[in-house]
Amino acid sequence: MKIESVELRYLRVPLKAPFETSFGRFSVKDCVFVTVFSDGVKGYGESVAFPAPYYNEETTETVWHVLESFLIPQLTGKEVNTPADVSALLAPVRRNYMAISSIEAAVWDCYCKQNRISLADALGGKKQVIEVGVSIGIEPTVDLVLKNVERFVEQGYKRMKVKIKPGFDVRLVEAIRKRFGDGLPLMADANSAYTLRDIDTLKQLDDYGLMMIEQPLAHDDIIDHAVLQKQLRTPICLDESIHSVEDARKAIELGSCRIMNIKVGRVGGLTNARNIHDICMRHGIPVWCGGMFELGVGRAHNIALSSLPNFTMPGDTSASNRYWEQDIVEPAVEFFRPGMLAVPDGHGIGYEVNYKALDRLTIRKSVS
């Protein structure tokens, strides 16, 4: 396939309710929406970078700049035999994984549509359905978190992830266990809020039967996590620390985690995500797909990725109505039964873009 042109849109989408983590509170989602054109076919991708560099060093504006100034010129007019070629073509660009991922995802979608296959099939996924978990942000009180947990339990979500930070951790988890019992699949996500000085607090979480503690220590660390994992019964899951297959290999060899979260944007695209999945499977490390407030296009890519066999834990691929009054895809991403999503078998991502909604949310647009 020849990449003929690329359209960028800057979208601003209000969340249904504010969402807070240890590194910030969000009430809107800004993102760069990418459309790749090839031989009359459109492929869609979506950047997951935030407006501020708090999750990682990328922002919505840097993604736009890197796409417009470096990535699109590198790809436009080029012949791409498979989407995996994109990683090689963009190899001179260091990091900027979320920018790379957004255009690589669009190439995958376009390629699959041209070849009349689903994205899941192209990636090698075999599942027809996936289980879905939900991420619950920090609230002013424990009671408010409990109300959110209750609401999502009633909706059928298969796993609860609660955000924690120092001073809002053990007491929260204890309250959830007391209210909902030990049978509730529960994990805690720290978003790098702790250090080894907090080890006594983190060890207290061992008493509550958590599935995992996600990224308790520094965002770029795999050394101290290995030290911590040796002292915890609860599995550590790495998120922000893993950007490449090499990061995954080193973390596994060091014993830094027992579970890994794979986010397509964080690792530079679906090709790298699949490769990390494969190395984790070879070493017996289960994986799950993390979420970054994706709209329907990014969510569809996550669903397809989650159809691979080593995604054995419910991911953050929640339904559209978790965050949005109206999504940009048709049909909306919806449960076909509580806590379960069907893996689309249509060509490409399996969803159509609602251009009326897309136009309403577009702040600016550029075509190269």
Side-chain angles (χ1 to χ4, degrees), residues 15-30:
L15 273 68
K16 289 172 68 175
F19 189 94
E20 184 174 340
T21 74
S22 64
F23 56 78
R25 187 172 179 87
F26 306 91
S27 58
V28 297
K29 173 188 173 68
D30 285 26

Side-chain angles (χ1 to χ4, degrees), residues 273-293:
R274 182 175 60 182
N275 291 339
I276 292 171
H277 161 277
D278 292 349
I279 191 173
C280 286
M281 187 162 66
R282 289 197 297 271
H283 287 86
I285 302 292
V287 301
W288 57 281
C289 185
M292 296 283 285
F293 304 105

Side-chain angles (χ1 to χ4, degrees), residues 203-347:
K203 288 175 75 172
Q204 289 180 58
L205 295 174
D206 273 341
D207 296 334
Y208 298 102
L210 297 177
M211 298 173 68
M212 67 193 87
I213 303 172
E214 186 178 0
Q215 197 73 34
L217 307 181
H219 69 95
D220 56 356
D221 171 75
I222 58 175
I223 304 298
D224 285 352
H225 278 101
V227 173
L228 179 62
Q229 182 65 93
K230 289 181 175 66
Q231 300 191 52
L232 294 181
R233 298 192 305 275
T234 306
I236 288 174
C237 171
L238 287 183
D239 174 3
E240 289 95 326
S241 295
I242 306 301
H243 298 94
S244 66
V245 174
E246 279 300 289
D247 288 342
R249 178 187 66 79
K250 292 169 185 175
I252 293 167
E253 290 184 4
L254 287 169
S256 305
C257 64
R258 297 177 193 158
I259 299 170
M260 207 167 286
N261 170 348
I262 299 178
K263 291 178 177 172
V264 178
R266 193 193 69 234
V267 303
L270 287 163
T271 302
N272 289 341
R274 182 175 60 182
N275 291 339
I276 292 171
H277 161 277
D278 292 349
I279 191 173
C280 286
M281 187 162 66
R282 289 197 297 271
H283 287 86
I285 302 292
V287 301
W288 57 281
C289 185
M292 296 283 285
F293 304 105
E294 288 90 349
L295 294 163
V297 166
R299 204 163 293 268
H301 284 94
N302 288 348
I303 293 168
L305 181 68
S306 298
S307 70
L308 292 170
N310 197 39
F311 283 89
T312 57
M313 297 179 167
D316 286 338
T317 45
S318 52
S320 294
N321 64 8
R322 166 70 179 98
Y323 297 113
W324 320 115
E325 294 291 351
Q326 181 182 15
D327 208 337
I328 61 169
V329 295
E330 295 176 330
V333 180
E334 297 176 338
F335 291 156
F336 79 95
R337 65 172 183 262
M340 305 290 288
L341 289 173
V343 177
D345 57 5
H347 302 157

Side-chain angles (χ1 to χ4, degrees), residues 6 8 10 18 146-147 155 161 163 275 290-291 309 322 364:
V6 180
L8 301 182
Y10 191 113
L146 293 176
K147 289 179 181 178
Q155 292 177 16
K161 178 171 83 171
K163 299 287 186 176
N275 291 339
R322 166 70 179 98
R364 67 176 183 267

